[in-house]
Amino acid sequence: MTPTAPDALCLSPVWKQHVWFGLIGLVGTGWLWFAMSRHGIGLSPDSVGYLAVAQHLLEGKGFLSYRVSLSSSSHHCIL
Protein backbone atom coordinates (compact mmCIF):
# COMPACT_ATOMS: atom_id res chain seq x y z
CA MET A 1 0.00 0.00 0.00
CA THR A 2 1.37 3.38 -0.96
CA PRO A 3 0.56 6.47 1.12
CA THR A 4 -1.95 8.82 -0.36
CA ALA A 5 -1.00 12.39 -1.20
CA PRO A 6 -2.58 14.05 1.88
CA ASP A 7 -0.91 11.52 4.22
CA ALA A 8 2.48 11.99 2.59
CA LEU A 9 2.38 15.78 3.06
CA CYS A 10 0.98 15.72 6.60
CA LEU A 11 3.50 17.15 9.07
CA SER A 12 3.24 17.05 12.81
CA PRO A 13 2.14 20.30 14.51
CA VAL A 14 5.51 20.53 16.29
CA TRP A 15 7.21 22.03 13.22
CA LYS A 16 5.17 25.22 13.63
CA GLN A 17 6.53 25.64 17.13
CA HIS A 18 10.09 25.16 15.86
CA VAL A 19 9.55 27.77 13.15
CA TRP A 20 8.19 30.30 15.67
CA PHE A 21 11.07 29.74 18.09
CA GLY A 22 13.52 30.12 15.21
CA LEU A 23 11.90 33.39 14.13
CA ILE A 24 11.88 34.74 17.69
CA GLY A 25 15.57 33.84 18.00
CA LEU A 26 16.43 35.60 14.74
CA VAL A 27 14.48 38.72 15.72
CA GLY A 28 16.19 38.79 19.13
CA THR A 29 19.61 38.31 17.57
CA GLY A 30 18.97 41.12 15.12
CA TRP A 31 17.76 43.44 17.87
CA LEU A 32 20.83 42.74 20.03
CA TRP A 33 23.17 43.26 17.07
CA PHE A 34 21.50 46.59 16.28
CA ALA A 35 21.57 47.80 19.90
CA MET A 36 25.20 46.83 20.48
CA SER A 37 26.42 48.22 17.17
CA ARG A 38 25.10 51.69 18.05
CA HIS A 39 25.78 51.87 21.78
CA GLY A 40 28.38 49.19 22.57
CA ILE A 41 27.88 46.38 25.04
CA GLY A 42 27.35 48.69 27.99
CA LEU A 43 30.30 47.82 30.21
CA SER A 44 31.45 50.52 32.59
CA PRO A 45 35.07 50.76 33.76
CA ASP A 46 33.97 49.44 37.17
CA SER A 47 32.47 46.27 35.74
CA VAL A 48 35.57 45.68 33.61
CA GLY A 49 37.69 45.99 36.75
CA TYR A 50 35.48 43.53 38.64
CA LEU A 51 35.74 41.01 35.80
CA ALA A 52 39.52 41.42 35.63
CA VAL A 53 39.89 40.88 39.38
CA ALA A 54 37.68 37.79 39.24
CA GLN A 55 39.70 36.37 36.35
CA HIS A 56 42.99 36.99 38.16
CA LEU A 57 41.65 35.34 41.33
CA LEU A 58 40.57 32.28 39.33
CA GLU A 59 43.99 32.09 37.67
CA GLY A 60 45.71 32.24 41.08
CA LYS A 61 47.39 35.59 40.46
CA GLY A 62 45.77 37.25 43.47
CA PHE A 63 43.84 40.48 43.75
CA LEU A 64 44.92 42.42 40.64
CA SER A 65 42.96 44.83 38.52
CA TYR A 66 43.55 45.25 34.81
CA ARG A 67 45.37 48.53 35.57
CA VAL A 68 47.79 47.14 38.21
CA SER A 69 50.84 45.22 37.07
CA LEU A 70 52.52 42.47 39.07
CA SER A 71 55.50 44.70 39.94
CA SER A 72 53.35 47.55 41.24
CA SER A 73 52.94 47.98 44.99
CA SER A 74 49.79 50.11 44.85
CA HIS A 75 47.21 47.40 45.56
CA HIS A 76 43.84 48.47 46.87
CA CYS A 77 41.99 46.40 49.43
CA ILE A 78 38.28 45.73 49.51
CA LEU A 79 36.87 46.79 52.85
Side-chain angles (χ1 to χ4, degrees):
M1 239 170 114
T2 59
T4 60
D7 290 338
L9 297 176
C10 182
L11 298 173
S12 66
V14 176
W15 73 272
K16 291 180 184 179
Q17 188 177 21
H18 290 273
V19 169
W20 279 112
F21 284 142
L23 288 174
I24 290 170
L26 287 174
V27 168
T29 301
W31 179 78
L32 282 173
W33 176 77
F34 173 73
M36 284 194 263
S37 67
R38 289 185 75 182
H39 307 292
I41 59 173
L43 288 177
S44 68
D46 287 344
S47 60
V48 173
Y50 299 149
L51 291 173
V53 168
Q55 182 177 4
H56 287 140
L57 286 173
L58 286 173
E59 293 173 353
K61 296 179 183 176
F63 182 79
L64 297 174
S65 177
Y66 69 98
R67 295 184 202 174
V68 179
S69 66
L70 289 172
S71 62
S72 176
S73 64
S74 62
H75 298 285
H76 300 285
C77 296
I78 298 177
L79 299 176

